[in-house]
Amino acid sequence: MAGLGRNGADRPAGQASGLGLLLEEAPDRAQEQDVPARSSAWAGIITVFQRNRTLWIVAAAAVLSLVAGLLLGRFLVSPADAAGAAEPPVPGLVTVPVQYGQLSNDVTIRGEVAYADPVEVRIDTTSIAGPAVVTGQVPEVGAELKPLSIALEVAGRPVMVLPGELPAYRTLSLGASGPDVVQFKTAVRTVGIDAGDPSDPVFGADAANAVATLYAAAGYSLPESEEGSAESVRAAQESVRMAEQGLSSAQNELAMTPVGATPVEIREADNAVAAAQRELAAAQQAAPRDALQIGNLVDALELAELRRQQIGADRTDAPQRAAVDAAAVQLAQAQEDLVLAEQAALPSLPASEVLYLADLPRRVDTVTTARGSILEGSSMTVSGATLGLSGSAAEADARLLKAGDKASFDLPDGTPHAATITSVAAGEGDSARWTVQLQPDPLTPEQIQELQGTNVRVSIAVGATDGDVLSVPYAALTAGPGGETRVEVVEGDPREGERTATRLVVVRSGLATPGAVEVIPVEGELAEGDLVVVGK
């Protein structure tokens, strides 16, 4: 109890009430006393914050970033992590649809469109006396040169076009021999002029006469013959005339020269012989016989007979006959000289007046000379008269091609246009590409103008199916246990993988191309659009 008194438990009720009131009021007073203190502290904090506002903002942003990073790291997952955490998908089947249409195996090359085989025209002017002035017949670009066309007129003389590959390099005149003579004979024969046997390499009279016909067809006079040839012909003709007169005179003299005895002289001689024979016979029959007389009569008879034999022997025409023979020889020589002179005067073909071009007709691409200019070097460039395609291919592709194969290329408007291979030539060396020449189907002048000088893509079909066929990629083909060829056709959803329902179709393969192969179903059904497996 005493302890209670010390603690106030034993105090009077009034005292206890006052103490409780004091205890109840104490916190309120303490709170009231703490308000100014807290206000002062907040004021200091605010002052510090205001003085270092930027620092506090940066610090707050850093705290917020840290908190946000922790939250994102806790609740967000990357796609890779999500894929790694997820179960792997079921592998599907790789399929392609069966195609239906024409299948072809093509070789593709690039080709230059241009007039074929361009060549520079050069004319030999060494045989022209004086400057080689172009006097006319200058062709325009695009003009066509054909056999007997006049390519140019130089110094008033024509340059005639003839078919051939060997250039003119000399004047062809009588007696010339060589391959250029054969070319001339062959060339004029193509235009209907006979110059003799083309296999005979000698330029004879027929060839010379053909030159005259050639110039007449071209509308020009013959080239001038060699100097003095006309005078030689005239002199030879005069020699023949004089030889003919000499022969005629000798023949006349021979005809007027008496030969042997005259008939009277012969008769007189015969009578003398007969008279001598009668006198001798009478003397031989007289009696008595006078031997002396008989001897004299024998001598007289022999003399008469000898005179008969000798009568007219001194009258011969041998000198006149010799003169006739000499005149005939002289005439023959004069006639031979005339033939030679006339042959020397036969027409010749100067090298400057003929232009041989292969593969006529030819188109004039450029003209580098003009009327009034002196011809030097190239006068023009000509090419084939039709537009051609020239490309190259690797040997492996080129060996698949041959003349006559069909090809196609696109016109500037995108329209396909047909062409035909004209030649396939091997390149030089192991790594050289082969040259492929093609001839486009006929083109309009507008198309030619657009295409000339362009480079186009050319497709050449080296194998094609006869109509539309089914085809699949190579990867779709598999081998069966018996060696048969099969394709696997999907009947369900390819995304289900190995659980997808499929069926095997035995096929026979046909034309193969770089991207697909023709298939013909043998066992089972196969149709356009069916999905075939090419991978899993």
Side-chain angles (χ1 to χ4, degrees), residues 138-141 152 364-370 378-381:
V138 180
E140 296 181 354
V141 173
L152 280 176
V364 178
D365 291 336
T366 60
V367 177
T368 55
T369 189
S378 173
S379 59
M380 67 186 75
T381 301

Side-chain angles (χ1 to χ4, degrees), residues 35-362:
V35 168
R38 287 199 302 268
S39 298
S40 177
W42 280 108
I45 292 172
I46 291 172
T47 301
V48 173
F49 178 77
Q50 290 177 343
R51 292 178 180 177
N52 300 278
R53 179 179 298 176
T54 303
L55 179 61
W56 287 107
I57 292 174
V58 172
V63 173
L64 291 174
S65 298
L66 178 60
V67 173
L70 293 174
L71 292 175
L72 291 174
R74 175 65 180 84
F75 296 106
L76 297 181
V77 181
S78 68
D81 292 340
E87 294 183 1
V90 177
L93 300 177
V94 181
T95 62
V96 294
V98 176
Q99 300 295 323
Y100 182 71
Q102 189 174 29
L103 198 63
S104 64
N105 193 6
D106 296 343
V107 170
T108 301
I109 63 174
R110 302 296 303 186
E112 293 289 339
V113 183
Y115 285 98
D117 191 21
V119 294
E120 288 187 345
V121 172
R122 295 178 179 272
I123 299 171
D124 182 5
T125 59
T126 56
S127 61
I128 298 177
V133 179
V134 177
T135 54
Q137 296 288 354
V138 180
E140 296 181 354
V141 173
E144 193 172 87
L145 298 181
K146 300 178 292 185
L148 292 184
S149 293
I150 305 301
L152 280 176
E153 186 181 273
V154 182
R157 300 298 302 165
V159 179
M160 297 176 291
V161 177
L162 288 177
E165 296 183 354
L166 186 66
Y169 61 91
R170 63 170 176 169
T171 296
L172 294 182
S173 56
L174 193 71
S177 177
D180 52 345
V181 175
V182 173
Q183 175 174 262
F184 168 75
K185 292 182 178 182
T186 304
V188 295
R189 175 163 290 196
T190 62
V191 295
I193 301 175
D194 184 13
D197 184 5
S199 63
D200 182 5
V202 178
F203 193 93
D206 289 340
N209 292 328
V211 171
T213 307
L214 178 66
Y215 276 89
Y220 283 83
S221 61
L222 285 170
E224 293 184 1
S225 56
E226 294 183 7
E227 185 177 356
S229 60
E231 290 76 5
S232 297
V233 171
R234 286 192 292 269
Q237 291 173 339
E238 180 64 19
S239 296
V240 170
R241 187 182 64 79
M242 293 179 65
E244 290 174 343
Q245 290 179 350
L247 177 61
S248 179
S249 298
Q251 290 173 338
N252 290 335
E253 186 176 353
L254 176 63
M256 294 175 63
T257 301
V259 177
T262 65
V264 174
E265 291 174 336
I266 294 173
R267 185 63 179 176
E268 289 177 347
D270 290 341
N271 291 341
V273 170
Q277 289 175 343
R278 285 192 299 269
E279 290 179 2
L280 176 61
Q284 289 175 341
Q285 293 176 358
R289 297 176 62 180
D290 188 350
L292 177 62
Q293 184 184 7
I294 292 173
N296 290 335
L297 291 174
V298 170
D299 292 338
L301 177 59
E302 290 178 353
L303 179 60
E305 290 177 345
L306 182 61
R307 286 176 176 173
R308 173 64 182 87
Q309 294 175 358
Q310 292 291 326
I311 190 172
D314 58 339
R315 297 173 185 173
T316 178
D317 60 357
Q320 290 74 17
R321 290 185 181 277
V324 169
D325 292 340
V329 171
Q330 187 176 3
L331 176 60
Q333 183 63 49
Q335 290 173 334
E336 184 178 348
D337 292 341
L338 176 61
V339 169
L340 294 176
E342 289 176 340
Q343 288 179 344
L346 283 174
S348 59
L349 183 64
S352 61
E353 298 188 14
V354 63
L355 172 63
Y356 291 104
L357 293 174
D359 302 324
L360 293 175
R362 287 278 184 161

